[in-house]
Amino acid sequence: MHDTELHADSAAHKTSLFSRLARFRVYLASIAMLAVFGVMAMAVYKLTNEVRYDDVVIALADTNLSAIGLAILFTALSFASLVYYDLNALDYIGRKLPKVPVAITAFSAYAIGNTAGFGALSGGAIRFRAYSRLGLSPEDVARVIAFVTFAFGLGLLAVSSLAALIAAPRLSSIVGIDTVWLRTGAVAVLLLLAGLLFVGREGRSFQVLRIRIRLPDTLTSSRQFLITAFDIAVSASVLYVLLPEDSIGWLSFFTIFSAAIGLGVLSHVPAGLGVFEAVIIGALGDTVGLDRLLGSLVLFRLIYYVLPLTIAIIMIVLSEARALARHPIAGDIGTVAARISPPLLSAFALLLGTMLIFSSVTPTPDTELDFLSNVLPLPVVEGAHFLSSLLGLALVIASRGLAQRLDGAWWAALAAAGLAFVFSFLRAIALGEAAFLGVFILALLVNARRFRRPASLFSQVLSLPWVMAMLVILAGAAAILLFVYRDVEYSRQLWWQFEFVGEAPRGLRALLGATIFAVAIAIFSLLRPAFHHPPEVTREDIDKAVAILNGQDNADANLVRMGDKRVMFSDSGRTFIMYGVQGRSWIALGDPVGDASETGELIWRFVEQARGAGGRAVLYQVSPALLSFCADAGLRAFKLGEMALVDLKTFELKGSRLAALRQALNKGAREGMSFAILEPADIPAAMPDLKAVSDGWLAQHQTREKGFSLGAFDEAYISSLPVAVLRKDDRIVAFATIFITDSKMEASVDLMRFSADAPRGAMDFLFVSLLDSLKNAGYQSFNLGMAPLSGMSKREIAPVWDRIGSTLFEHGERFYNFRGLRAFKSKFHPQWQPRYLAVAGGTGVVLALMDVTLLISGGVRGVVGK
């Protein structure tokens, strides 16, 4: 007995521990990221103990132009292969898109992902913006992102294992691991991947726990492996050609490079900064001269990371030029430029801010410093140097607002970049730095109309990951400062030395100023968390909401009974909004329920609380009556489709209008089908039969339970509602849960399931019988639910959103039965009413739809696993 109690206590303690860790996972991950970077930066500092900054500068200057040219060529080949990741992913999901916009999108996504880190998120945001404009649904885009993410990870494992297997003796001498262990590990990984390939042959699916995953077929997997192998090979060659000749064999270096890239990705440090360098230096430090190795790593960063992002920025600048607008390629670029320019400029601002901070802690070349000492007074040079570091930090902070299209962020970035452009001449005559800033300023100006969200930059607090990324940049600047001036003996007097040759004091003061500024912002942001989840719903909340919904007309409000949504009540407690939280989206389902006079106040409260928590307010499936309130709250509406409402007062099976439904009813009766409505008290006895039908339906359709806007088969939920059942030979073969309220103004259905052996036309029989029964019971109307993308205009003057939606409705039968669903509901001759998605500012509609999809599907696993 005691052992059982101890085991139960231990299990409860573990559950509590895991729930606490899950609650603070964002904080733990951010702190871990900073800790990893700190450890790696210290390792690099110690590994380069004998190297001096001047030696690295000389090594950089001695690099052959032919090597740089080859590095640029291999970078171009690498990004060309990355485009094929997306093309292969689109082929995998069965979609065809124009190749030029896909290439622009993929190139920009990888340029941003390489720079900002978190490639699945940062590059994924680019894909959602661009591919949604090209007609992909959020679910399709999520599948593309999942494909390219896993393809790179699995490909990296495969090619590095193959390289390790071949080059094990040479690699063993470098990393200090026995050859046998290296080859054993490589073979184990390759066997695991081969098993995965075998399981997924011919596109087969397999189930892990409750998740069904469809693997690519053998042809797609083989093609993707070749693409990944080529990509990693040419990207490794970018750095390899920058190293001294004959320093190491290419195959051995390829294996080391693969490991460094993999660890950099796993660390989640932006761009793998410090982690990648530590692995390369640790593995090659005894083989290649450290000064030349450091110079090669700097050039690699510039060529493989900075150059593509700069090209992407120039590309969107050119796409805005009217002279090129008539060219077909320019037109294709312009198709996606409107969507990707804000995140591109955000990544470029982050890069430039980091560059300004790093350059503020490095010395000015002697020739430039001598020139400045002859033409400018010392205070001007000192002030420009100090302020440049603060402007760099300002650009880092503004980069977040640029991604959100804030007008305040645009003005802040423009001012900071403009001042930094001037200071680049006053402090160092840094022509390269000025050129990058000039391109950025030009890009901001030509894309000014993209940044019209009327929001204050100062009201947008930084989230913890952003704070940690900012601290990583400052820690990197500190590491560079220690490396550059490692021979300078520290003393308190350094802080007060103001002279042209006093480079170390200038770097110290610049770093101190940026650090104080950053810490102040971090404290402000952490005292006002950028995002927090509201309290979970309680049983009391659900009971209170059920009491409200029973007294009003919206039958679909019964979805609150599921308990998977939070509830926000008005101050009086007579009205509520049910909503879910996914990512940063606060998603309200339908119109507010209760007292109509409190609708406007409750919407305002919902939007303000979402914004105050750093979230995005989203209203999903709202009626036209709510649009004026949405406009007042600064929300922009996008049409989702139409709701089918049947007027039961005029519903009559007699006559020719509903003859087909009358025939379906008579045919079902002849085949022995019978209809009944089970009240909640009668449902427990029928629960096993209902569950058998539901389980069979899920297995037949190879799907899983959904949520949020759809009910799931939960016994407590099913037992709280009337259930319409269809019997054949006294056995239940189909059922539907019924939504009703005490007002009897509207009824609806939620969960509809039927067994595989249900007679043809069974659902027609069930619906006709249900509508006839509800009419006889005195109900006024019946809600048949949504027809997604129905009723959207194809006119040239219609919004792009409507034109895309109408195109999908017309031609998207392969992916969803849009027209078939509307045709089924049209048999009942309903009245069609539009339904909308309203989003704060209108700019986050794609991300909002992605979050809605994830919320309904139960997360990424639900989307990927169907």
Side-chain angles (χ1 to χ4, degrees), residues 370-525:
D370 292 339
F371 175 80
L372 289 174
S373 65
N374 293 324
V375 299
L376 292 175
L378 178 61
V380 172
V381 176
E382 291 281 359
H385 203 95
F386 180 80
L387 291 175
S388 290
S389 65
L390 301 185
L391 292 171
L393 191 61
L395 279 175
V396 170
I397 296 167
S399 65
R400 180 174 183 265
L402 289 175
Q404 298 175 342
R405 305 191 181 201
L406 303 185
D407 56 356
W410 184 87
W411 282 107
L414 183 63
L419 288 172
F421 180 81
V422 174
F423 291 161
S424 65
F425 294 99
L426 298 180
R427 67 179 179 83
I429 317 179
L431 298 180
E433 189 176 288
F436 283 119
L437 288 166
V439 170
F440 179 66
I441 292 168
L442 179 60
L444 282 176
L445 291 173
V446 299
N447 287 277
R449 67 181 183 276
R450 316 285 186 206
F451 302 90
R452 291 185 176 175
R453 278 191 63 187
S456 170
L457 178 64
F458 301 103
S459 66
Q460 303 290 316
V461 293
L462 294 178
S463 61
L464 185 61
W466 269 92
V467 170
M468 288 300 175
M470 187 170 60
L471 295 180
V472 163
I473 293 171
L474 289 173
I480 292 172
L481 181 74
L482 291 173
F483 170 75
V484 172
Y485 301 110
R486 67 165 77 228
D487 293 330
V488 175
E489 186 176 349
Y490 175 78
S491 66
R492 293 180 181 177
Q493 286 72 28
L494 284 176
W495 296 101
W496 312 109
Q497 289 182 9
F498 295 92
E499 50 188 11
F500 276 105
V501 294
E503 296 279 28
R506 267 199 291 276
L508 282 171
R509 287 189 292 268
L511 181 61
L512 178 64
T515 302
I516 292 174
F517 187 19
V519 169
I521 293 170
I523 291 173
F524 174 75
S525 296

Side-chain angles (χ1 to χ4, degrees), residues 40-88:
M40 292 301 179
M42 186 60 67
V44 171
Y45 181 78
K46 290 185 176 180
L47 287 169
T48 58
N49 190 49
E50 302 299 323
V51 183
R52 296 299 177 265
Y53 175 74
D54 291 340
D55 298 331
V56 176
V57 173
I58 293 171
L60 277 170
D62 289 342
T63 304
N64 294 328
L65 291 178
S66 59
I68 295 175
L70 281 173
I72 293 173
L73 173 63
F74 285 127
T75 298
L77 291 174
S78 175
F79 274 82
S81 66
L82 291 173
V83 170
Y84 279 92
Y85 278 79
D86 284 50
L87 291 173
N88 209 22

Side-chain angles (χ1 to χ4, degrees), residues 139-153:
E139 183 175 352
D140 284 338
V141 183
R143 291 177 184 272
V144 169
I145 294 171
F147 182 93
V148 297
T149 301
F150 287 109
F152 175 77

